[in-house]
Amino acid sequence: MADLGGAVAAVTGGASGIGASTARLLAEAGARVAIIDRDAERGGEVAGAIDGMFVAADVSEPKEWSRITDEVTTAWGPITLAHLNAGVPTRRYPYSVEEVTDEQYHRIVGVNLGGVLLGVRAVVPSMKSAGGGAIVATASMAGLVAFPADPVYAATKHGVVAFVRSAAPQLGRLGIRINVVCPSATDTPILDDERRADIAPQQPSVATSR
């Protein structure tokens, strides 16, 4: 990885899984890393291990983003890197779409799609002030193909892919690069034991990061 000394990074969903692994790599490359997560215990542990900062926040809430950016920029200066990675499943799957509750719908759309849109909106002013930056959003293979086991999750991830593709041209003119990554099944806390057992025999090389 390139030398990131002087960079200020924000990682949502950074308390575990892909987010925690990303945070560690960014810190190893010299970046100052802020972990954004609802899980204060694990988020604090990750932040402490990399000499970073932990900000307890719900990325689905618009008002939380002002606080996130204020805390990070006050401590370290403009955010120049952002990994918008927080994600949740709809419910235990497979399920019937008629079983999805209003609460489950609003939660998954708010975190998976809103957490990216709101995050981009929040960090762009900071990156503009720094002369540019880079954003990575985590979608999923379920954002590229059908995923019958969790149709609502798939819808949110397709939305993330479409948003990044559509926002890239205008952000590029500001000196801000935005990309989306679409991991296949990854052994993280988003999987319950039953899902993990289903995946393991089919994908012996599943990446593990808890």
Side-chain angles (χ1 to χ4, degrees), residues 17-159:
I18 293 172
S21 293
T22 300
R24 294 185 188 103
L25 288 172
L26 289 170
E28 288 173 8
R32 291 178 169 178
V33 184
I35 305 296
I36 320 299
D37 207 290
R38 298 177 68 194
D39 188 336
E41 181 176 354
R42 287 195 291 186
E45 290 176 357
V46 174
I50 61 173
D51 195 23
M53 171 193 302
F54 174 70
V55 181
D58 182 344
V59 298
S60 70
E61 292 293 335
K63 293 180 180 178
E64 294 273 63
W65 276 102
S66 294
R67 181 174 61 82
I68 292 168
T69 55
D70 285 349
E71 289 191 25
V72 177
T73 57
T74 297
W76 292 335
I79 296 168
T80 53
L81 302 173
H83 184 197
L84 304 176
N85 168 75
V88 296
T90 308
R91 55 182 293 155
R92 191 181 188 91
Y93 57 70
Y95 61 84
S96 170
V97 293
E98 63 189 300
E99 298 171 341
V100 178
T101 66
D102 290 349
E103 181 181 2
Q104 289 167 343
Y105 163 74
H106 287 294
R107 179 64 184 157
I108 191 170
V109 172
V111 173
N112 292 8
L113 184 55
V116 173
L117 189 155
L118 297 172
V120 170
R121 185 179 71 175
V123 301
V124 162
S126 187
M127 291 183 178
K128 285 171 62 178
S129 73
I135 302 168
V136 175
T138 300
S140 167
M141 285 299 292
L144 300 175
V145 298
F147 185 40
D150 195 342
V152 185
Y153 178 85
T156 64
K157 294 304 185 176
H158 272 76

